[in-house]
Amino acid sequence: MIKVLFEPKAKLVDSLTYDITAWSLPYAYGLETVASSKIIEGKPNNPENFKQNTANAIATAFLSKWNSMEDARFLAELIRNDIKVRFSEKQFQNSGEDFHAGSLIISKSDNSSIENFQQKVVEIANNMQRKFVVTNTGFSDKGPDFGSGNIKIINKQKIGLLRGEQVSSLNFGEIWYFFEQDLKYPVIPLETGNLSSNVLDELNVLVMPSGNYSSFLDEDTLKMLENWIRGGGKVIAIGDAVSAFAGKDNFGIKEKDSKKDSLKTAEKLVPYSQREREYVKNMITGSIVKTSVDSSHPLAFGYDDTYFSLKLSGDSYELLESGYNVAYIQQPEIVSGFAGSEAQKKLENSLIFGEENIGRGSIIYMVDNPLFRAFWENGKLFFTNALFLTNNRGYDY
């Protein structure tokens, strides 16, 4: 089992398969790994060794780094307790420590109305074993000061999650599990048949799981969604849900042209017994692909310039012309698993994650599912960023 889970490149005896063909844990968790021919002694990370945070009467703010799901859960718990949090869109240095873009700033001035504010933050951080830095000044050694326009408030988000006949029950379950078990943040399941302008007006974010929305997103519903987005709403479309917006006016997403010239005679005459094997040339059933990342965009905060994505189909979309291409493939590099030769050609210069601004709001496209079966840990921070850090408009505390 250990050999299977840690193999860097899965080897297949036969490409005809019904399930994912790559599952390497280092890629799934986003870890750099090195193989060793010798036994290496190590010490486990003992929770009892965690050094407790303490309150500071003259503290201006508490600073916390942003690069893991533990940080995301910390943020969610703070928000659930009505504690206002900001994040930095730029790297900065304060109190002699460097903080990358996305780092959290929990300031006394933002939370002046909260009784026992410091004690509450310290208690939450210690319970969740998140270490923060105490600063006595809002002026940074380097980078933006706390009063800068690059330091933005993270508002509470009221989030809706579509369900219904048109929605993949598997992807709905993955997303629901993420909110309930991973992030521990409330989400409102919404039937597609009950979606209306009045319902949308009560939300800040609408998550559309993978599914077949052809019978749901008619012209009127698309216009309703567009108007809501223009007013400041945010849609997160995952997997097949992206195709519902492809080629539609004002949504900025287009499928890559997969039309072929007329088939050659030899291709038309493929025997019945070989047809399935010929078909897999256009398939990707679950392989790991290397992508490039624009780590300056809030959707990618906490990541470096590379992300290994689990690609579950041969569907591909053009790079956004006016939007932000946050994670994308230039030249396909399959690092593990099977991908058909024709499917790989379509991946060149294609979108993985991106954001298209529409009026005051935006739509986040996640062509690959970042929450697949709850085991693809490396994608979960992308999804959290999409909820809280991109186009951040929420309701008041």
Side-chain angles (χ1 to χ4, degrees), residues 34-268:
V34 178
S36 174
S37 59
K38 298 180 180 180
I39 295 176
I40 299 175
E41 297 294 335
K43 295 181 179 180
N45 184 16
N46 190 341
E48 295 179 0
N49 295 333
F50 175 75
K51 188 176 180 181
Q52 298 283 304
N53 300 287
T54 58
N56 185 324
I58 60 172
T60 298
F62 302 114
L63 310 179
S64 182
K65 298 185 178 181
W66 182 261
N67 56 26
S68 69
M69 271 305 297
E70 285 77 12
D71 301 321
R73 281 187 279 271
F74 178 43
L75 170 64
E77 187 64 15
L78 290 170
I79 294 175
R80 279 166 51 86
N81 282 272
D82 293 327
I83 294 171
K84 293 184 180 180
V85 185
R86 294 181 183 268
F87 74 100
S88 176
E89 286 196 322
K90 302 287 184 181
Q91 183 173 341
F92 69 95
Q93 185 182 86
N94 189 295
S95 302
E97 295 232 14
D98 291 322
F99 293 88
H100 293 290
S103 295
L104 305 180
I105 301 167
I106 312 157
S107 73
K108 183 178 179 179
S109 60
D110 280 335
N111 296 279
S112 58
S113 63
I114 296 180
E115 187 176 354
N116 299 322
F117 156 70
Q118 287 204 25
Q119 288 75 10
K120 285 185 178 181
V121 174
V122 169
E123 182 180 356
I124 292 171
N126 287 338
N127 288 341
M128 306 189 77
Q129 297 196 357
R130 306 319 299 152
K131 188 65 181 174
F132 56 63
V133 171
V134 178
T135 180
N136 299 327
T137 176
F139 295 99
S140 297
D141 305 326
K142 294 180 182 178
D145 298 325
F146 295 173
S148 164
N150 291 311
I151 308 297
K152 298 188 174 180
I153 194 76
I154 300 175
N155 291 308
K156 273 189 174 180
Q157 301 288 53
K158 198 168 184 181
I159 303 166
L161 173 62
L162 283 184
R163 68 181 180 188
E165 293 182 3
Q166 300 89 349
V167 175
S168 163
S169 59
L170 297 177
N171 193 211
F172 174 86
E174 291 161 352
I175 299 168
W176 194 2
Y177 179 92
F178 171 80
F179 280 105
E180 186 178 83
Q181 299 296 323
D182 283 333
L183 192 61
K184 302 186 186 302
Y185 190 86
V187 65
I188 305 168
L190 299 169
E191 290 289 341
T192 53
N194 295 333
L195 195 66
S196 66
S197 297
N198 290 336
V199 171
L200 286 173
D201 286 342
E202 296 298 317
L203 303 175
N204 309 112
V205 180
L206 178 67
V207 181
M208 296 179 60
S210 188
N212 182 358
Y213 291 93
S214 58
S215 62
F216 166 65
L217 283 182
D218 55 22
E219 186 176 343
D220 291 338
T221 306
L222 269 175
K223 192 64 181 177
M224 176 181 68
L225 276 177
E226 182 186 342
N227 290 337
W228 176 70
I229 296 171
R230 287 191 182 280
K234 178 165 55 182
V235 167
I236 302 174
I238 300 175
D240 288 339
V242 176
S243 66
F245 300 96
K248 303 293 194 302
D249 291 342
N250 303 323
F251 288 97
I253 189 79
K254 297 177 183 178
E255 290 188 60
K256 285 184 69 69
D257 188 2
S258 59
K259 294 180 180 179
K260 294 183 177 180
D261 296 327
S262 57
L263 292 175
K264 299 177 182 178
T265 300
E267 293 174 308
K268 296 177 182 178

